Amino acid sequence: MHDEVEVLVELLEEVLGEHHNHYESKAQISFDCPRCSEEKGLENGDGKGNLEINYSKHVFKCWSCGDTFGTHGPLGKLFDLFGTKKQKKIYDLIKPEELKVEDKKKVFLRLPEGYTKFEDSNPRFIPHREALNYLISRGVTEDIIKKYNIGYTVKGDFAYRIIIPSYNTEGKLNYFVGRAWMKRKDKYKNPSVPKDEIIFNESLIDWSKDIYLVEGAFDSFFLDNPLVMLGKKLSKLAFENLYNKSQGNIIICCDGDAWLDGLKIYHELNGGRLYNKIKIVKLPKDKDICDLKGNIDEYYYEIK
Ligand SMILES: [Zn+2]
């Protein structure tokens, strides 16, 4: 075995346990899939070796649960799912240069032109006052503005919008929401990054605690540990992350007018290792979490 292969196999065994078949000529090696094993309640693997890795292409796939639970993709994702932060770091060091270059080629998102924090702007500037008044009218406090790095801009494509940035687990900007503070048809304008390829403010999510699924960024300000869907549907990426990482309950908090969307998400999530951990609230028709300032205790709805 080449040295690099040996190091990688050793690292994989640390994460996945002993390997099954290893075809060096094809650069293929298989392991028991941790997700499948967990599904069956087996701690030390299910003995099937369904998880296959190609270490020349740096990809993996579980032939049994890959399509259902997203257990496939670049090897880095495998370390995200099943490894520790340290193991991921070691993998990043040994992964080939070509793959690192590809990571760098991705265009990094920037905050829109003219983005200004309230603390850096003149409180007598009329747009500053208008934007701040709008936030106050929706119950957004100074603490929330600071916590979420909320700002505004009067320039460019996002002019006259409040900007709510979103950061990934490495603290890099991965999205933002632009909300107009004046009445206009296009209340929201967002960057061209597909919203189903990111998790909004993933950096703030604690997967070990109860998670509240909400539709919009404004809803998320009023609940502890929210996951923002940026709409009424749960993306595949959000589903995979919830299924693989969430350890507490998941509470679905769609707007009052989206009860049926909430129910759909309930049934999508309430299975496998999440069974019986899904809760849902039924809000009054014309209300959302932001309107209620997160006071949802009386709206829990039991599904029988
Ligand atoms: Zn599997």
Side-chain angles (χ1 to χ4, degrees):
M1 247 192 290
H2 289 292
D3 280 355
E4 313 92 81
V5 174
E6 209 174 313
V7 173
L8 182 57
V9 169
E10 224 170 83
L11 184 65
L12 287 167
E13 289 199 318
E14 215 183 289
V15 177
L16 301 165
E18 266 177 59
H19 70 267
H20 284 242
N21 299 325
H22 187 179
Y23 304 105
E24 281 191 66
S25 58
K26 292 194 245 168
Q28 264 180 26
I29 187 164
S30 66
F31 292 87
D32 287 344
C33 166
R35 181 57 64 241
C36 287
S37 307
E38 196 187 343
E39 199 77 4
K40 293 168 195 145
L42 299 167
E43 247 172 63
N44 297 316
D46 60 0
K48 298 223 153 97
N50 278 329
L51 192 134
E52 212 158 75
I53 289 162
N54 182 306
Y55 54 76
S56 72
K57 294 182 186 147
H58 285 258
V59 291
F60 77 104
K61 177 169 178 131
C62 171
W63 294 105
S64 173
C65 75
D67 291 333
T68 325
F69 297 133
T71 33
H72 62 88
L75 259 190
K77 180 177 170 187
L78 180 140
F79 287 97
D80 284 336
L81 288 176
F82 306 120
T84 61
K85 273 201 178 140
K86 196 173 156 207
Q87 288 161 338
K88 173 78 191 286
K89 267 194 192 153
I90 296 172
Y91 172 68
D92 284 338
L93 289 174
I94 60 178
K95 95 177 161 187
E97 286 303 317
E98 310 94 76
L99 291 174
K100 289 182 192 165
V101 172
E102 256 172 46
D103 284 350
K104 279 196 195 124
K105 262 194 268 169
K106 281 188 205 157
V107 190
F108 287 110
L109 184 67
R110 283 165 201 226
L111 284 170
E113 187 188 347
Y115 164 86
T116 311
K117 289 187 196 187
F118 287 94
E119 61 188 43
D120 299 336
S121 117
N122 185 342
R124 280 184 298 192
F125 184 45
I126 289 173
H128 173 115
R129 284 194 345 230
E130 287 176 345
L132 196 57
N133 283 341
Y134 174 80
L135 288 171
I136 292 167
S137 77
R138 297 200 67 184
V140 179
T141 62
E142 219 172 285
D143 286 346
I144 296 174
I145 291 173
K146 280 214 176 108
K147 178 178 176 191
Y148 290 92
N149 207 21
I150 300 171
Y152 72 96
T153 175
V154 294
K155 285 188 194 152
D157 291 345
F158 293 86
Y160 299 97
R161 289 175 188 278
I162 286 158
I163 304 297
I164 306 160
S166 158
Y167 300 93
N168 70 11
T169 50
E170 279 144 30
K172 286 207 181 90
L173 185 79
N174 64 358
Y175 203 73
F176 59 82
V177 166
R179 174 65 162 90
W181 63 77
M182 287 178 281
K183 278 218 165 79
R184 54 191 289 175
K185 268 193 196 145
D186 52 342
K187 287 194 281 187
Y188 285 97
K189 186 181 167 102
N190 303 327
S192 54
V193 179
K195 63 181 181 187
D196 54 357
E197 286 178 15
I198 59 105
I199 291 186
F200 195 79
N201 274 328
E202 188 175 6
S203 56
L204 297 175
I205 299 176
D206 182 344
W207 301 98
S208 71
K209 296 205 300 190
D210 289 358
I211 294 172
Y212 294 85
L213 290 189
V214 299
E215 289 189 24
F218 278 84
D219 302 319
S220 72
F221 300 151
F222 301 97
L223 289 169
D224 181 42
N225 208 30
L227 188 153
V228 180
M229 299 188 289
L230 296 168
K232 299 181 189 302
K233 290 195 177 71
L234 190 62
S235 71
K236 201 167 175 246
L237 181 69
F239 175 87
E240 284 172 8
N241 273 274
L242 285 167
Y243 195 91
N244 289 308
K245 294 188 197 162
S246 135
Q247 285 155 45
N249 293 316
I250 298 168
I251 302 104
I252 301 163
C253 307
C254 287
D255 295 357
D257 64 8
W259 171 241
L260 293 179
D261 299 281
L263 275 183
K264 191 165 173 263
I265 296 168
Y266 178 92
H267 292 295
E268 277 166 20
L269 283 172
N270 192 35
R273 63 180 289 273
L274 296 182
Y275 185 68
N276 264 340
K277 288 180 153 183
I278 314 301
K279 301 188 186 310
I280 188 166
V281 296
K282 189 176 188 179
L283 304 184
K285 269 236 150 62
D286 57 341
K287 293 276 189 285
D288 62 29
I289 295 293
C290 180
D291 299 328
L292 296 165
K293 306 287 170 291
N295 295 313
I296 52 168
D297 287 354
E298 59 185 296
Y299 299 114
Y300 277 81
Y301 187 93
E302 203 175 327
I303 305 228
K304 285 168 199 146

Tab-separated table of all heavy atoms in Angstrom, residues 82-109:
chain	number	residue	atom	x	y	z
A	82	PHE	N	-19.825	11.548	10.445
A	82	PHE	CA	-19.505	10.491	11.412
A	82	PHE	C	-18.222	10.715	12.209
A	82	PHE	O	-17.987	10.040	13.200
A	82	PHE	CB	-19.414	9.131	10.698
A	82	PHE	CG	-20.641	8.793	9.902
A	82	PHE	CD1	-20.565	8.579	8.534
A	82	PHE	CD2	-21.881	8.700	10.528
A	82	PHE	CE1	-21.708	8.274	7.799
A	82	PHE	CE2	-23.020	8.391	9.802
A	82	PHE	CZ	-22.932	8.176	8.441
A	83	GLY	N	-17.383	11.642	11.774
A	83	GLY	CA	-16.096	11.817	12.439
A	83	GLY	C	-16.119	12.955	13.443
A	83	GLY	O	-17.125	13.625	13.623
A	84	THR	N	-14.987	13.149	14.073
A	84	THR	CA	-14.844	14.291	14.975
A	84	THR	C	-14.242	15.448	14.176
A	84	THR	O	-13.779	15.257	13.046
A	84	THR	CB	-13.880	13.965	16.122
A	84	THR	OG1	-12.591	13.673	15.551
A	84	THR	CG2	-14.349	12.765	16.928
A	85	LYS	N	-14.232	16.637	14.790
A	85	LYS	CA	-13.623	17.800	14.127
A	85	LYS	C	-12.147	17.544	13.825
A	85	LYS	O	-11.632	17.927	12.802
A	85	LYS	CB	-13.754	19.024	15.032
A	85	LYS	CG	-15.071	19.735	14.820
A	85	LYS	CD	-15.009	21.172	15.292
A	85	LYS	CE	-16.351	21.849	15.012
A	85	LYS	NZ	-16.795	22.720	16.072
A	86	LYS	N	-11.503	16.850	14.754
A	86	LYS	CA	-10.073	16.583	14.593
A	86	LYS	C	-9.826	15.650	13.409
A	86	LYS	O	-8.927	15.869	12.602
A	86	LYS	CB	-9.543	15.964	15.890
A	86	LYS	CG	-8.040	16.007	15.992
A	86	LYS	CD	-7.545	15.549	17.352
A	86	LYS	CE	-6.118	15.042	17.234
A	86	LYS	NZ	-5.797	14.053	18.261
A	87	GLN	N	-10.677	14.617	13.311
A	87	GLN	CA	-10.524	13.689	12.186
A	87	GLN	C	-10.740	14.399	10.855
A	87	GLN	O	-10.048	14.137	9.876
A	87	GLN	CB	-11.503	12.520	12.347
A	87	GLN	CG	-11.078	11.567	13.469
A	87	GLN	CD	-12.199	10.689	13.955
A	87	GLN	OE1	-13.380	10.994	13.791
A	87	GLN	NE2	-11.843	9.568	14.574
A	88	LYS	N	-11.710	15.326	10.839
A	88	LYS	CA	-11.957	16.093	9.613
A	88	LYS	C	-10.735	16.931	9.254
A	88	LYS	O	-10.331	17.028	8.102
A	88	LYS	CB	-13.182	16.988	9.814
A	88	LYS	CG	-13.474	17.975	8.691
A	88	LYS	CD	-14.139	17.313	7.500
A	88	LYS	CE	-14.208	18.189	6.246
A	88	LYS	NZ	-15.192	19.240	6.307
A	89	LYS	N	-10.113	17.511	10.263
A	89	LYS	CA	-8.926	18.333	10.029
A	89	LYS	C	-7.790	17.500	9.438
A	89	LYS	O	-7.103	17.923	8.518
A	89	LYS	CB	-8.455	18.973	11.343
A	89	LYS	CG	-9.033	20.356	11.547
A	89	LYS	CD	-8.298	21.101	12.644
A	89	LYS	CE	-9.082	22.354	13.013
A	89	LYS	NZ	-8.849	22.782	14.389
A	90	ILE	N	-7.612	16.295	10.011
A	90	ILE	CA	-6.552	15.422	9.491
A	90	ILE	C	-6.855	15.069	8.039
A	90	ILE	O	-5.988	15.108	7.174
A	90	ILE	CB	-6.431	14.149	10.362
A	90	ILE	CG1	-6.004	14.544	11.781
A	90	ILE	CG2	-5.429	13.173	9.749
A	90	ILE	CD1	-6.031	13.418	12.786
A	91	TYR	N	-8.124	14.770	7.772
A	91	TYR	CA	-8.492	14.446	6.386
A	91	TYR	C	-8.182	15.618	5.453
A	91	TYR	O	-7.621	15.430	4.373
A	91	TYR	CB	-9.971	14.061	6.280
A	91	TYR	CG	-10.387	13.911	4.834
A	91	TYR	CD1	-9.886	12.860	4.051
A	91	TYR	CD2	-11.209	14.847	4.229
A	91	TYR	CE1	-10.211	12.748	2.713
A	91	TYR	CE2	-11.542	14.740	2.887
A	91	TYR	CZ	-11.046	13.691	2.134
A	91	TYR	OH	-11.357	13.587	0.804
A	92	ASP	N	-8.528	16.835	5.880
A	92	ASP	CA	-8.257	18.009	5.044
A	92	ASP	C	-6.765	18.158	4.736
A	92	ASP	O	-6.395	18.642	3.674
A	92	ASP	CB	-8.779	19.289	5.719
A	92	ASP	CG	-10.303	19.409	5.595
A	92	ASP	OD1	-10.868	18.778	4.677
A	92	ASP	OD2	-10.919	20.104	6.420
A	93	LEU	N	-5.933	17.709	5.684
A	93	LEU	CA	-4.484	17.800	5.455
A	93	LEU	C	-4.017	16.777	4.430
A	93	LEU	O	-3.132	17.054	3.627
A	93	LEU	CB	-3.724	17.588	6.776
A	93	LEU	CG	-3.824	18.716	7.796
A	93	LEU	CD1	-3.154	18.303	9.104
A	93	LEU	CD2	-3.174	19.974	7.246
A	94	ILE	N	-4.608	15.581	4.468
A	94	ILE	CA	-4.090	14.532	3.572
A	94	ILE	C	-4.834	14.477	2.235
A	94	ILE	O	-4.408	13.796	1.339
A	94	ILE	CB	-4.108	13.126	4.239
A	94	ILE	CG1	-5.532	12.723	4.626
A	94	ILE	CG2	-3.195	13.079	5.439
A	94	ILE	CD1	-5.593	11.322	5.233
A	95	LYS	N	-5.910	15.238	2.099
A	95	LYS	CA	-6.628	15.137	0.816
A	95	LYS	C	-5.826	15.817	-0.288
A	95	LYS	O	-5.096	16.772	-0.042
A	95	LYS	CB	-8.054	15.643	0.952
A	95	LYS	CG	-8.331	17.060	0.590
A	95	LYS	CD	-9.825	17.322	0.731
A	95	LYS	CE	-10.052	18.811	0.820
A	95	LYS	NZ	-11.410	19.192	1.114
A	96	PRO	N	-5.919	15.282	-1.523
A	96	PRO	CA	-5.045	15.759	-2.592
A	96	PRO	C	-5.247	17.230	-2.944
A	96	PRO	O	-6.350	17.760	-2.802
A	96	PRO	CB	-5.417	14.878	-3.796
A	96	PRO	CG	-6.565	14.051	-3.387
A	96	PRO	CD	-6.815	14.221	-1.937
A	97	GLU	N	-4.146	17.844	-3.418
A	97	GLU	CA	-4.153	19.266	-3.746
A	97	GLU	C	-5.269	19.641	-4.722
A	97	GLU	O	-5.900	20.677	-4.574
A	97	GLU	CB	-2.797	19.693	-4.339
A	97	GLU	CG	-1.671	19.803	-3.313
A	97	GLU	CD	-1.985	20.759	-2.160
A	97	GLU	OE1	-2.519	21.847	-2.432
A	97	GLU	OE2	-1.692	20.415	-1.003
A	98	GLU	N	-5.510	18.767	-5.723
A	98	GLU	CA	-6.532	19.123	-6.741
A	98	GLU	C	-7.877	19.410	-6.074
A	98	GLU	O	-8.591	20.317	-6.467
A	98	GLU	CB	-6.778	18.008	-7.762
A	98	GLU	CG	-5.563	17.411	-8.410
A	98	GLU	CD	-5.115	16.172	-7.652
A	98	GLU	OE1	-5.751	15.106	-7.797
A	98	GLU	OE2	-4.125	16.301	-6.901
A	99	LEU	N	-8.214	18.616	-5.065
A	99	LEU	CA	-9.501	18.805	-4.396
A	99	LEU	C	-9.518	20.103	-3.600
A	99	LEU	O	-10.527	20.779	-3.524
A	99	LEU	CB	-9.805	17.628	-3.466
A	99	LEU	CG	-10.110	16.296	-4.145
A	99	LEU	CD1	-10.235	15.191	-3.116
A	99	LEU	CD2	-11.376	16.370	-4.974
A	100	LYS	N	-8.387	20.427	-3.017
A	100	LYS	CA	-8.310	21.681	-2.252
A	100	LYS	C	-8.483	22.868	-3.185
A	100	LYS	O	-9.152	23.831	-2.854
A	100	LYS	CB	-6.963	21.790	-1.535
A	100	LYS	CG	-6.826	20.826	-0.386
A	100	LYS	CD	-5.495	21.012	0.322
A	100	LYS	CE	-5.240	19.849	1.267
A	100	LYS	NZ	-3.863	19.763	1.720
A	101	VAL	N	-7.862	22.793	-4.375
A	101	VAL	CA	-7.965	23.887	-5.338
A	101	VAL	C	-9.434	24.074	-5.730
A	101	VAL	O	-9.937	25.181	-5.819
A	101	VAL	CB	-7.098	23.610	-6.583
A	101	VAL	CG1	-7.359	24.660	-7.656
A	101	VAL	CG2	-5.624	23.607	-6.200
A	102	GLU	N	-10.140	22.954	-5.922
A	102	GLU	CA	-11.555	23.059	-6.292
A	102	GLU	C	-12.375	23.782	-5.225
A	102	GLU	O	-13.245	24.570	-5.539
A	102	GLU	CB	-12.141	21.662	-6.545
A	102	GLU	CG	-12.302	21.418	-8.035
A	102	GLU	CD	-12.699	20.013	-8.349
A	102	GLU	OE1	-13.619	19.505	-7.682
A	102	GLU	OE2	-12.078	19.434	-9.246
A	103	ASP	N	-12.068	23.508	-3.966
A	103	ASP	CA	-12.755	24.215	-2.875
A	103	ASP	C	-12.555	25.714	-3.009
A	103	ASP	O	-13.462	26.494	-2.802
A	103	ASP	CB	-12.187	23.791	-1.510
A	103	ASP	CG	-12.692	22.415	-1.115
A	103	ASP	OD1	-13.600	21.911	-1.802
A	103	ASP	OD2	-12.171	21.863	-0.127
A	104	LYS	N	-11.318	26.078	-3.353
A	104	LYS	CA	-10.987	27.498	-3.411
A	104	LYS	C	-11.677	28.189	-4.570
A	104	LYS	O	-11.946	29.365	-4.536
A	104	LYS	CB	-9.473	27.676	-3.522
A	104	LYS	CG	-8.791	27.555	-2.180
A	104	LYS	CD	-7.385	28.107	-2.215
A	104	LYS	CE	-6.613	27.633	-0.996
A	104	LYS	NZ	-5.394	26.931	-1.324
A	105	LYS	N	-11.953	27.409	-5.643
A	105	LYS	CA	-12.556	27.997	-6.837
A	105	LYS	C	-13.983	28.477	-6.585
A	105	LYS	O	-14.484	29.339	-7.278
A	105	LYS	CB	-12.544	26.982	-7.991
A	105	LYS	CG	-11.364	27.232	-8.939
A	105	LYS	CD	-11.549	26.481	-10.233
A	105	LYS	CE	-10.894	25.129	-10.167
A	105	LYS	NZ	-11.196	24.228	-11.216
A	106	LYS	N	-14.642	27.881	-5.592
A	106	LYS	CA	-16.005	28.318	-5.275
A	106	LYS	C	-15.995	29.806	-4.949
A	106	LYS	O	-15.156	30.280	-4.206
A	106	LYS	CB	-16.517	27.546	-4.045
A	106	LYS	CG	-16.973	26.156	-4.377
A	106	LYS	CD	-17.624	25.569	-3.140
A	106	LYS	CE	-17.541	24.060	-3.182
A	106	LYS	NZ	-17.641	23.467	-1.861
A	107	VAL	N	-16.942	30.525	-5.507
A	107	VAL	CA	-16.990	31.967	-5.259
A	107	VAL	C	-17.571	32.190	-3.869
A	107	VAL	O	-18.601	31.629	-3.524
A	107	VAL	CB	-17.908	32.651	-6.283
A	107	VAL	CG1	-17.757	34.169	-6.184
A	107	VAL	CG2	-17.584	32.180	-7.687
A	108	PHE	N	-16.883	32.993	-3.099
A	108	PHE	CA	-17.415	33.258	-1.779
A	108	PHE	C	-18.356	34.463	-1.803
A	108	PHE	O	-18.090	35.462	-2.442
A	108	PHE	CB	-16.281	33.429	-0.765
A	108	PHE	CG	-15.641	32.123	-0.442
A	108	PHE	CD1	-14.357	31.825	-0.867
A	108	PHE	CD2	-16.364	31.145	0.231
A	108	PHE	CE1	-13.789	30.588	-0.595
A	108	PHE	CE2	-15.804	29.905	0.505
A	108	PHE	CZ	-14.519	29.626	0.091
A	109	LEU	N	-19.434	34.293	-1.120
A	109	LEU	CA	-20.464	35.319	-1.070
A	109	LEU	C	-19.982	36.493	-0.223
A	109	LEU	O	-19.247	36.312	0.736
A	109	LEU	CB	-21.704	34.672	-0.443
A	109	LEU	CG	-22.969	35.490	-0.352
A	109	LEU	CD1	-23.520	35.774	-1.740
A	109	LEU	CD2	-24.005	34.734	0.478
